[in-house]
């Protein structure tokens, strides 16, 4: 049995990139009976950047409903809000005392985000990777599926775990990060050199999993390609076309090679229509399931509560093990 752990921030919209790059792979891992899967909405991470309370609340609930709508099954996996499980914050504090300021200062994401939010370089932004380490280590995760941009955070998680284990013996399982093969990186439709991101200033570059079919078609028709006419999977030289082929492969459940072969001879405009239509069909059932779920808040909150209870039970054991190794006097009762 392998423990799989991953999380996503409930900020903004869930993009097609989030689905293909992350959540779709979570579905696949959930389907394997040898995996015990735990997935969190990393809402404590989200407040490292200032959020409007009403939007944050709505986005968080909406993300929970979306995770269920696109395929996570709360009877198979643990799906919960990070903020519902206090052990995350507590372990993050403890781990802070085993993490060096210099290490955090070197984190690429911290440097990028500091440059982007110069007026709000808060301690949480710097401490982000330590909270992430706490997430992962609490559950004794074997494998942590993430995107490329998070690999450095997995590395630091491993360093911290090894450091603690060196001092106190075998406290933490040292996790492995991995990049799922399928559609690891979906790029912006308007700037295929950069990742499809909910914070993309150009909304035409980003597909939301809840976009209406007409909107999806319009965005694909405007997708940036190149001045060539050849359809080929060549991410180096044909970033736009390669991105479309990668999306098409996932939407049609085929390999990139297969869709590349099938699309030979198509004009770029026809390729874009085909990708758009396939994406519309892939997302259609998600939207209707989402509409059904979001209308039943009591049910969503009940699922989240069950998830948090299951998560806490596991997290508490790890936290106590570490606290006792450090030498804290245990609280009685
Ligand atoms: N930082 C991750 C991201 O933005 C989300 C995340 C938070 C995460 N905690 C995690 C991912 C633990 C994997 C494991 O993508």
């Amino acid at each position: 049995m392998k423990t799989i752990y991953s999380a996503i921030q409930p900020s903004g919209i869930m993009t097609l990139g989030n689905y293909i790059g992350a959540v779709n792979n979570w579905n696949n891992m959930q389907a394997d009976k040898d995996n015990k899967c735990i997935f969190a909405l990393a809402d404590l991470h989200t407040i490292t950047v200032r959020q409007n309370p009403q939007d944050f609340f709505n986005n968080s609930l909406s993300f929970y409903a979306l995770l269920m709508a696109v395929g996570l099954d709360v009877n198979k996996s643990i799906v919960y809000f990070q903020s519902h499980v206090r052990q995350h914050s507590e372990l993050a504090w403890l781990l802070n005392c085993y993490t060096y300021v210099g290490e955090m200062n070197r984190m690429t994401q911290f440097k990028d985000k500091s440059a982007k939010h110069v007026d709000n370089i808060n301690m949480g932004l710097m401490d982000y990777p330590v909270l992430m380490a706490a997430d992962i280590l609490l559950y004794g995760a074997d494998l942590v599926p993430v995107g490329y941009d998070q690999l450095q955070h997995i590395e630091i998680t491993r360093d911290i775990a090894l450091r603690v284990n060196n001092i106190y013996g075998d406290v933490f399982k040292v996790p492995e990060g991995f990049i799922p093969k399928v559609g690891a990186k979906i790029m912006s439709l308007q700037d295929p050199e950069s990742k499809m991101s909910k914070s993309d200033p150009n909304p035409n570059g980003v597909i939301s999993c809840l976009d209406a079919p007409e909107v999806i078609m319009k965005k694909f028709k405007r997708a940036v390609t190149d001045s060539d006419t050849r359809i080929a999977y060549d991410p180096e030289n044909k970033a736009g076309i390669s991105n479309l082929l990668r999306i098409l492969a996932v939407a049609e459940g085929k390999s990139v090679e297969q869709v590349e072969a099938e699309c030979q001879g198509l004009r770029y405009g026809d390729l874009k229509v085909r990708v758009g239509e396939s994406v519309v069909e892939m997302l259609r059932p998600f939207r209707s399931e989402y509409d059904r779920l979001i209308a039943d808040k009591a049910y969503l909150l009940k699922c989240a509560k069950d998830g948090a209870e299951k998560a806490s039970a596991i997290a508490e054991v790890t936290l106590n093990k570490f606290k006792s190794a450090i030498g804290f006097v245990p609280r009685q009762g």
Side-chain angles (χ1 to χ4, degrees):
M1 205 66 174
K2 277 205 176 349
T3 300
I4 313 288
Y5 188 93
S6 197
I8 187 168
Q9 288 195 46
S11 54
I13 53 170
M14 189 188 284
T15 68
L16 182 67
N18 294 143
Y19 174 70
I20 295 181
V23 187
N24 178 41
N25 294 303
W26 299 0
N27 284 335
N28 295 335
M29 283 178 273
Q30 169 185 262
D32 184 338
K33 289 212 167 39
D34 290 332
N35 291 339
K36 175 182 172 56
C37 295
I38 307 174
F39 300 117
L41 282 169
D43 52 357
L44 296 172
H45 280 103
T46 304
I47 65 162
T48 55
V49 173
R50 200 72 72 228
Q51 303 293 320
N52 168 288
Q54 196 60 52
D55 293 345
F56 181 44
F57 180 94
N58 291 337
N59 289 338
S60 298
L61 215 59
S62 168
F63 256 83
Y64 196 91
L66 260 168
L67 288 181
M68 290 178 72
V70 306
L72 293 190
D73 178 346
V74 295
N75 295 311
K76 290 188 186 148
S77 302
I78 299 178
V79 186
Y80 71 103
F81 287 100
Q82 184 189 31
S83 64
H84 289 180
V85 179
R86 292 197 170 81
Q87 289 84 352
H88 290 255
S89 303
E90 187 171 349
L91 181 59
W93 171 259
L94 301 179
L95 295 179
N96 272 334
C97 302
Y98 301 83
T99 307
Y100 300 109
V101 172
E103 291 176 304
M104 295 298 100
N105 241 327
R106 284 195 293 276
M107 293 286 115
T108 311
Q109 185 170 29
F110 173 61
K111 289 193 270 188
D112 290 350
K113 288 197 178 171
S114 305
K116 226 163 122 188
H117 303 279
V118 270
D119 52 343
N120 185 19
I121 306 176
N122 59 68
M123 290 299 293
L125 198 61
M126 188 174 195
D127 208 24
Y128 184 112
V130 178
L131 179 59
M132 187 161 155
D135 299 345
I136 297 166
L137 298 177
L138 277 175
Y139 300 94
D142 295 283
L143 285 181
V144 185
V146 285
Y148 285 101
D149 63 330
Q150 296 298 314
L151 274 184
Q152 199 182 29
H153 294 160
I154 306 292
E155 272 313 303
I156 202 77
T157 300
R158 291 168 55 86
D159 291 348
I160 296 170
L162 287 167
R163 186 173 301 151
V164 167
N165 288 351
N166 265 325
I167 306 173
Y168 301 108
D170 206 10
V171 175
F172 294 124
K173 165 80 121 297
V174 181
E176 307 269 346
F178 87 101
I179 311 265
K181 267 202 264 357
V182 186
K185 210 167 179 187
I186 298 302
M187 314 307 276
S188 161
L189 300 183
Q190 288 296 312
D191 173 13
E193 304 288 340
S194 55
K195 188 174 142 179
M196 182 182 285
S197 147
K198 40 196 152 202
S199 54
D200 193 321
N202 186 341
N204 285 326
V206 188
I207 304 279
S208 157
C209 289
L210 296 175
D211 273 344
E214 326 67 91
V215 175
I216 296 174
M217 290 309 296
K218 200 175 72 194
K219 288 178 181 172
F220 275 106
K221 284 181 187 160
R222 290 183 186 168
V224 169
T225 50
D226 52 54
S227 53
D228 191 22
T229 54
R230 206 168 37 92
I231 291 183
Y233 187 71
D234 177 359
E236 291 271 298
N237 302 306
K238 299 175 75 70
I241 293 294
S242 303
N243 191 37
L244 290 175
L245 290 174
R246 235 180 282 130
I247 294 171
L248 185 62
V250 174
E252 296 190 355
K254 297 170 180 166
S255 68
V256 169
E257 294 74 26
Q258 193 176 349
V259 292
E260 182 189 28
E262 285 178 13
C263 293
Q264 288 311 306
L266 282 190
R267 285 178 310 186
Y268 280 5
D270 298 332
L271 173 69
K272 292 179 191 178
V273 168
R274 170 153 171 192
V275 181
E277 285 172 348
S278 293
V279 168
V280 165
E281 288 319 311
M282 174 174 76
L283 296 181
R284 194 186 297 284
F286 299 168
R287 255 194 93 182
S288 53
E289 182 62 4
Y290 170 82
D291 289 341
R292 197 180 69 77
L293 287 165
I294 202 70
D296 191 352
K297 299 225 167 37
Y299 174 67
L300 284 178
L301 291 173
K302 164 81 170 63
C303 293
K305 175 171 183 259
D306 291 348
E309 274 167 8
K310 291 183 210 158
S312 298
I314 304 171
E316 184 67 4
V317 173
T318 314
L319 183 66
N320 285 336
K321 184 175 172 192
F322 185 32
K323 285 175 82 173
S324 127
I326 296 172
F328 283 108
V329 175
R331 171 178 148 175
Q332 299 299 303

